[in-house]
Amino acid sequence: MSLLTHLLACLFGMGSWVSINGLWVELPLVVPQIPEAWFLPSYLSVLIQMANVGPLFVTLMHRFRPGALNEAAVIYAIVGLGTAASFLLAFFWRETAVVAGAPRSVALLVLTFFLATVDCTSSVTFLPFMMRLKPQYLTTYYIGEGLSGLLPALVALVQGAGVVHCVNSTGSLNHTRNSSESSATFDLRAEYQPANFSVEVFFFFLSAMMLVCLVAFLLLNYHPSVARQRPSGRSANGVKQKCARERKRAEQKPMMDPYRPASRRPRSSFGTGSYSWTQVFYIFVVLAWTNALTNVVLPSVQSYSCLPYGNSAYHLSATMAAVANPLACFIAMFFPIRSLVLMGALTLLGSAAGAYIMSMAALSPCPLLVHQTSGAAVIVLAWVLFVLALSYVKVIIGLILRDEGHGALVWCGAVVQLGSLLGAVTMFPVVSVYSFFSSGDPCNTRWCSLSLPGLDVFSALAILELHATITAPMT
């Protein structure tokens, strides 16, 4: 294996969702300076769903005009577009124009649509491109995809975006009838801390990350040491190479289907025919389910599930969940077990952790163990287990579909986007329209019955978690 190729595959994967993930974490600093205010996340959710026209076009071209679309050219185009759009955001994100008699952030919305198109289309182009490299590099790509969510979050944390500090508000005097004593009760209110560097600098960082992705893609195509890592690389003895590939596949098949004789005829016309249509349907249903949960459904209620336990629990769960994604990919690099039974068991485990998280969000602002340290520990552990289990499932499905060929990876990306779309369509009205969930107060956890009115900082944090995506995200 080539360490350089691993590094390039990781950097290439980081460009998949870094722009949109970065924009979401930067919203606390963006919305106070634009006319849309905290309604911007709702607009962004719609724009991101409209951007699915990109992967829809690629999938339809693959289905009805196979081979007509130059995959490398599409990747060059979308990564270049993402780099330019991120760079222009640094200059024009605050520019407004009068539309329908009111000022609107037209430049910000248009450039965000371009970024969303880039990231959504990466799901159906980046993965199939990885077919050109050996299977172990696909896992490295998934690590990079997970870092595309973690790295912008860490930079935003250093910047101070979205970090809430609890400050004393004006106290009120309470007089008792039987005593001349008076006692002052002080409440804490939350305020965003000032940024350590500007929004413009953050957008330049996103542009630099997209440029790094573009350079990594160039080297993956043209660097001599990468060329030697391709499965179709030339060898002095092509017959031996073919036998080695067949022997490796025979070693892997028992993990997927231990009782299938080697001489059995193909079960279906999908890919290599290793799986029946029932198994293929099962794989894609699990893929759509895991992406709906990890990309949209649970992130949309993260603040509701964590804020009642305090500000520290909220930030710790968000950080640890972001770390769990690339960690699961790293584990899959050494234990790539292609077992449908294990995949189902981990999906149930992750879904159970997700059910607990959803239950605590529904009980907000008075979830279980709200006044106890164990409550915060359990909710953080639930988030780590949820992301760790389902991220591993997504990597294993990617490896299975990679074995089934280029077309299978195209459909993999399409189903990822479909699952995220269905999750967004389900959760957006529940969270943002009907306000089914109630926000907790991270600065006054003792008042579990507190419900903050209107679209304040905590409701804004909740809306912020509604990632109508992808990570992509991976992040």
Side-chain angles (χ1 to χ4, degrees), residues 60-134:
L60 291 178
M61 286 292 292
H62 173 76
R63 174 65 179 84
F64 297 106
R65 296 288 301 277
L69 203 62
N70 189 326
E71 193 172 78
V74 174
I75 296 177
Y76 281 124
I78 63 175
V79 177
L81 177 62
T83 304
S86 301
F87 186 77
L88 292 175
L89 267 178
F91 298 98
F92 299 107
W93 69 273
R94 280 188 293 191
E95 299 296 325
T96 60
V98 177
V99 178
R104 304 290 182 189
S105 303
V106 176
L108 174 63
L109 296 176
V110 171
L111 291 173
T112 299
F113 173 76
F114 288 148
L115 290 178
T117 303
V118 169
D119 291 0
C120 290
T121 308
S122 71
S123 297
V124 292
T125 53
F126 284 20
L127 273 176
F129 170 80
M130 295 305 296
M131 278 291 299
R132 302 185 183 186
L133 301 176
K134 294 178 180 179

Side-chain angles (χ1 to χ4, degrees), residues 1 75 129 138 222 228 250 309 321 415 439:
M1 292 190 299
I75 296 177
F129 170 80
L138 181 62
Y222 298 110
R228 292 192 291 270
Y309 297 101
V415 172
S439 298

Side-chain angles (χ1 to χ4, degrees), residues 17-285:
W17 282 96
V18 70
S19 298
I20 289 299
N21 288 333
L23 184 60
W24 277 107
V25 299
E26 193 69 3
L27 284 183
L29 298 180
V30 171
V31 294
Q33 305 182 56
I34 60 173
E36 288 80 6
W38 278 110
F39 290 101
L40 178 64
S42 300
Y43 299 154
L44 296 186
S45 299
V46 175
L47 289 174
I48 293 171
Q49 297 313 312
M50 291 173 59
N52 279 306
V53 65
L56 177 63
F57 171 76
V58 173
T59 304
L60 291 178
M61 286 292 292
H62 173 76
R63 174 65 179 84
F64 297 106
R65 296 288 301 277
L69 203 62
N70 189 326
E71 193 172 78
V74 174
I75 296 177
Y76 281 124
I78 63 175
V79 177
L81 177 62
T83 304
S86 301
F87 186 77
L88 292 175
L89 267 178
F91 298 98
F92 299 107
W93 69 273
R94 280 188 293 191
E95 299 296 325
T96 60
V98 177
V99 178
R104 304 290 182 189
S105 303
V106 176
L108 174 63
L109 296 176
V110 171
L111 291 173
T112 299
F113 173 76
F114 288 148
L115 290 178
T117 303
V118 169
D119 291 0
C120 290
T121 308
S122 71
S123 297
V124 292
T125 53
F126 284 20
L127 273 176
F129 170 80
M130 295 305 296
M131 278 291 299
R132 302 185 183 186
L133 301 176
K134 294 178 180 179
Q136 56 265 33
Y137 297 110
L138 181 62
T139 307
T140 311
Y141 166 84
Y142 274 113
I143 293 176
E145 193 175 74
L147 291 175
S148 71
L150 176 61
L151 188 59
L154 293 178
V155 174
L157 188 62
V158 173
Q159 182 189 22
V163 177
V164 178
H165 284 278
C166 301
V167 297
N168 287 328
S169 61
T170 304
S172 59
L173 294 177
N174 293 331
H175 298 277
T176 60
R177 294 182 179 179
N178 300 327
S179 174
S180 60
E181 298 179 355
S182 61
S183 61
T185 60
F186 294 90
D187 287 330
L188 297 175
R189 61 183 171 84
E191 288 184 350
Y192 284 123
Q193 75 171 20
N196 296 321
F197 53 86
S198 67
V199 175
E200 289 80 4
V201 173
F202 186 84
F203 285 144
F204 283 135
F205 159 75
L206 294 183
S207 178
M209 291 305 303
M210 292 301 299
L211 184 60
V212 168
C213 174
L214 181 60
V215 173
F217 182 64
L218 280 168
L219 294 176
L220 285 174
N221 275 292
Y222 298 110
H223 199 280
S225 66
V226 176
R228 292 192 291 270
Q229 302 302 315
R230 294 171 182 168
S232 57
R234 294 180 181 178
S235 173
N237 194 333
V239 176
K240 287 185 178 180
Q241 196 175 54
K242 180 179 179 181
C243 292
R245 289 198 300 267
E246 291 178 350
R247 183 171 61 254
K248 183 178 180 180
R249 178 175 294 276
E251 292 172 353
Q252 293 173 343
K253 290 301 179 183
M255 291 186 289
M256 295 184 273
D257 186 12
Y259 303 108
R260 184 173 72 88
S263 59
R264 179 176 294 182
R265 300 178 61 184
R267 299 182 178 185
S268 67
S269 58
F270 180 81
T272 62
S274 302
Y275 299 95
S276 66
W277 282 114
T278 302
Q279 292 174 319
V280 171
F281 179 77
Y282 163 73
I283 291 171
F284 280 124
V285 167

Side-chain angles (χ1 to χ4, degrees), residues 343-401:
M343 186 175 71
L346 290 177
T347 302
L348 289 177
L349 177 63
S351 299
Y356 176 82
I357 294 169
M358 183 64 71
S359 300
M360 297 305 100
L363 293 174
S364 177
C366 301
L368 300 177
L369 306 174
V370 67
H371 300 305
Q372 303 179 29
T373 305
S374 58
V378 170
I379 196 65
V380 172
L381 180 61
W383 270 102
V384 172
L385 183 62
F386 164 75
V387 175
L388 192 66
L390 295 190
S391 295
Y392 184 88
V393 168
K394 289 192 289 185
V395 175
I396 293 305
I397 291 178
L399 293 176
I400 289 175
L401 296 179

Side-chain angles (χ1 to χ4, degrees), residues 407-424:
L409 284 181
V410 174
W411 284 109
C412 175
V415 172
V416 166
Q417 290 303 117
L418 177 62
S420 300
L421 174 61
L422 294 177

